[in-house]
Amino acid sequence: MSTPIRLVVPDTGPLITLAKLGALDALLVFDDRVRLVLTDYVEFEATRRHQEFPDAQAIHAFLRDNAGRVEIERTGIGSNYKKLVLLKEQLAQSPELAAQLGIDLSAELDDPGELSIVQYIRDLIDRPPGTPALILAEDDYFLRPLSPLPSNAHVVSTRAFLNALPRLAALKDRPTLWTAVARWREAADAAGIVDRPAARLATTWEDTVHPDRAAEVVRALRRRHDL
């Protein structure tokens, strides 16, 4: 028997894609058994410039308006990396001090969003029988077949998720929703069509989708993007 899952967004990619489509509500097509989880660092990265960028503003408003459905999971990795990012921004105003401290301001941080979500999913294993998690992702780290993820993680790409919605909504006319993404993203195919069940648990996500909610999202996308 398959076990209902929690939906985890491990990086900003899916959030930005859905924000650009005007379709963040797609994250709410699941029935009430499914929890939507972001780690603290993903929230930080996706929303901290919401006063500057429309996508970040849309994500910030979505998380604010759906606080009852969306959980922000605090992680040690996320907390520490947030402090590092803010510290680097402060030091950027004083490059001489950064040089004295031996800090390379051009160095990139090592994918803190990915690290924070892996920590979170591994923690779920310790909650018997090992709560399954659906990872909605666009980053290759999660989508490649040999990704070193915990065995309770079911991985689906944003592309596979969006394109499944018309079928799950039981609509006669089933547009390919990813077409709307391909119109503005040259590397749209890079996201891939991935729907990989967890290795250790029997997992499902399609039968937790509420058909009426999915239909509403599909119809809105068709109108907005002429699909």
Side-chain angles (χ1 to χ4, degrees):
M1 179 183 223
S2 295
T3 308
I5 56 179
R6 62 188 67 200
L7 171 62
V8 182
V9 181
D11 63 79
T12 58
L15 294 173
I16 293 172
T17 293
L18 294 175
K20 286 185 179 295
L21 292 177
L24 284 164
D25 283 348
L27 296 173
L28 304 177
V29 298
F30 301 93
D31 64 37
D32 295 337
R33 295 177 295 162
V34 177
R35 298 165 56 196
L36 174 59
V37 178
L38 275 67
T39 62
D40 46 1
Y41 190 84
V42 172
E43 178 205 25
F44 169 75
E45 189 177 21
T47 64
R48 69 192 185 98
R49 293 185 174 174
H50 67 272
Q51 295 181 334
E52 302 174 50
F53 301 108
D55 295 341
Q57 183 179 24
I59 296 167
H60 178 266
F62 172 80
L63 297 179
R64 178 199 63 212
D65 296 343
N66 294 282
R69 288 287 306 273
V70 182
E71 297 182 18
I72 308 301
E73 190 73 19
R74 307 300 167 189
T75 64
I77 289 174
S79 176
N80 288 332
Y81 270 102
K82 283 163 59 178
K83 293 174 183 176
L84 283 174
V85 169
L86 295 175
L87 178 59
K88 283 187 66 175
E89 289 181 350
Q90 291 177 1
L91 286 173
Q93 306 301 318
S94 305
E96 294 179 358
L97 176 59
Q100 292 175 12
L101 295 173
I103 296 175
D104 182 2
L105 295 175
S106 65
E108 296 291 332
L109 298 177
D110 293 331
D111 299 315
E114 295 174 359
L115 295 173
S116 67
I117 207 65
V118 169
Q119 176 190 349
Y120 169 68
I121 295 170
R122 284 177 177 164
D123 288 345
L124 291 179
I125 296 177
D126 296 329
R127 307 176 194 176
T131 306
L134 173 66
I135 294 183
L136 179 64
E138 292 179 22
D139 194 299
D140 180 63
Y141 176 90
F142 296 96
L143 300 183
R144 61 177 181 254
L146 299 179
S147 179
L149 287 173
S151 57
N152 59 330
H154 183 133
V155 180
V156 62
S157 62
T158 314
R159 183 177 180 180
F161 170 68
L162 284 174
N163 284 348
L165 291 184
R167 172 173 54 82
L168 299 177
L171 298 175
K172 291 183 180 179
D173 190 6
R174 299 178 180 179
T176 302
L177 299 183
W178 194 253
T179 300
V181 179
R183 289 173 182 169
W184 56 265
R185 182 190 295 170
E186 293 182 2
D189 287 339
I193 300 176
V194 177
D195 191 350
R196 188 169 65 247
R200 193 175 89 172
L201 301 172
T203 51
T204 179
W205 68 272
E206 290 194 354
D207 61 6
T208 62
V209 171
H210 194 290
D212 291 342
R213 295 176 186 175
E216 185 176 347
V217 168
V218 173
R219 292 187 182 110
L221 278 169
R222 290 193 64 188
R223 291 192 300 268
R224 188 175 292 118
H225 299 282
D226 192 25
L227 297 174

